Amino acid sequence: MASIQQQQLVNDTQPASRNGSSNRIAAINVEGHPQPWVDDLQLEDSDHQKPGWRKFLSYVGPGFLVSLAYLDPGNLETDLQAGANHRYELLWVILIGLIFALIIQSLSANLGVSTGKHLAELCKAEYPKYVKYCLWLLAEIAVIAADIPEVIGTAFALNILFHIPVWVGVLCTGCSTLLLLGLQKYGVRKLELLIAVLVFVMAACFFGEMSYVKPPATDVLKGMFIPKLSGQGGTGDAIALLGALVMPHNLFLHSALVLSRKIPNSVRGINDACRYFLIESGFALLVAFLINLAVISVSGTVCSAQNLPSENADRCGDLTLNSASFLLQNVLGKSSSKIYAIALLASGQGSTITGTYAGQYIMQGFLELKMRKWIRNLLTRCVAIAPSLVVAIVGGSSGASRLIIIASMILSFELPFALIPLLKFSSSTTKMGPHKNSIYIIVISWILGLGIISINIYYLSTGFVGWLLHNNLPKVGNIFVGIMVFPLMVIYILSVAYLAFRKGFCGDLFGAK
């Protein structure tokens, strides 16, 4: 009787599953051991009788929404600058980075499939009240920071295509995103189809550009498979490429999107779903890799052309989303600039949709706010575009470009507060039951996770030190800023350590009884 009461207590403390199935979080009996999971073959439904390809197609969709985070305007700007500075030498960084991303994203999908809850809901149930609200606030800031390059990139695309002011483009982006998110009322599959179309529009545009400039295939293959860091700033550009890949809000989003599918509540059904989502994510990220490859190849080929005019060479030295269009127009012709703008519009508009979608899940998961979807969309959108709108009005195109750099540093700062809970939960016997990561996946994922966190911290710290060395503040001002920042750095490190080692981490990680 005590064991039954304890199990009921655990189940009562967990929020209800969002996909209509029973709660899949492993219950704990009175002795503290997870209850055994049983795969009852007699409970299989007609879904198991579908042919393999039809069953797989029913899981296609979330990976394409997630892949847009690796194709957003912030990533494109980093790719453009890497290609301009180093031609094709850093393609191997993109290849390794997206392999890392596939592993991390698969953990996020597996977490949602295995527990029946997304990352924000699990954080709410796991952490004390004050920690929960801090994580929610940081996640909301991450959504805003991720949205800044997306909104500004879309505004630049509208400016290139229709010559409208950047701040008007920011407003148009906010309105169009809300309209496109209205597709939710027709089902999430319609929204996923729209995003997939935008991804393939980007692919067509950049592959068209690449076929026009014809980068040398041998050099491209060498850049993909022969690691090399040469030239001034090679290490910094490589770190920037890796740091721009994994987005904090993307981890919340992927674990929530998989809940839109009806997943059988059995070991076999969950294993099949995890495998299908892995395959689908792998295909979507392969497309994302090819698009990133095309962007770097086009930039590298154009900026290394013989007899490049001095004006265009100066643009290559500091290539931004806006200046890239002028560079392509001068070197390749007006049509090339328009094709680039269409690709940038697809990137920015698609990314803003997924960012707003992630904001919905974060707000719902942490706060359990009960409100209509359109109200939640409007609230999330208004909060996200406010910084971009203010900077676009005050600073124009140059101010908007600088804001993209600041946003990327904020995302680097935010990443551990989403990644560490994901790594802990996906490695937990209590949360995942028999679907817990194997010891090999645990070791690999933690090495990758800590490596990505270290890269982002390095990117953040070097960016701050560079700002201190090159700003126009007096020496006293720099000392004051340093004194202010040092305690914040200590708090940051202690917060990351708390998330990593809270609640007997090592025992749960390795399945200690």
Side-chain angles (χ1 to χ4, degrees), residues 73 149-177 180 198 321-322 325-326 337-350 352 381 385 389 392 397:
E150 297 158 0
V151 171
I152 292 175
T154 307
F156 281 159
L158 294 173
N159 176 262
I160 297 167
L161 291 170
F162 307 112
H163 307 289
I164 63 176
V166 174
W167 69 270
V168 176
V170 170
L171 287 177
C172 292
T173 303
C175 296
S176 62
T177 301
L180 294 173
L198 292 176
L321 292 174
N322 202 28
S325 68
F326 296 104
S337 175
K338 298 298 184 183
I339 292 173
Y340 164 78
I342 292 171
L344 182 59
L345 180 63
S347 169
Q349 190 63 78
T352 54
R381 190 94 295 267
I385 70 170
L389 182 60
S397 298

Side-chain angles (χ1 to χ4, degrees), residues 178 363 369 371 374-384:
L178 289 175
M363 187 178 295
L369 291 180
M371 63 175 65
W374 72 268
I375 297 177
R376 192 188 302 164
N377 287 345
L378 182 62
L379 178 62
T380 306
R381 190 94 295 267
C382 290
V383 171

Side-chain angles (χ1 to χ4, degrees), residues 69 72 105 139 142-147 150 246-255 351 354-359 362 411 415 418:
D72 76 331
Q105 293 297 159
V143 171
I144 296 172
D147 206 49
E150 297 158 0
V246 180
M247 300 282 189
H249 72 282
N250 224 31
L251 306 181
F252 292 100
L253 178 63
H254 204 177
S255 64
S351 300
T354 57
T356 306
Y357 216 33
I362 288 169
L411 288 170
L415 181 61

Side-chain angles (χ1 to χ4, degrees), residues 89-109:
E89 290 183 0
L90 297 183
L91 286 173
W92 64 273
V93 178
I94 295 292
L95 178 61
I96 292 176
L98 284 174
I99 293 173
F100 288 2
L102 176 61
I103 296 173
I104 298 299
Q105 293 297 159
S106 68
L107 295 182
S108 180

Side-chain angles (χ1 to χ4, degrees), residues 170 324 361 509:
V170 170
Y361 285 121
L509 180 65

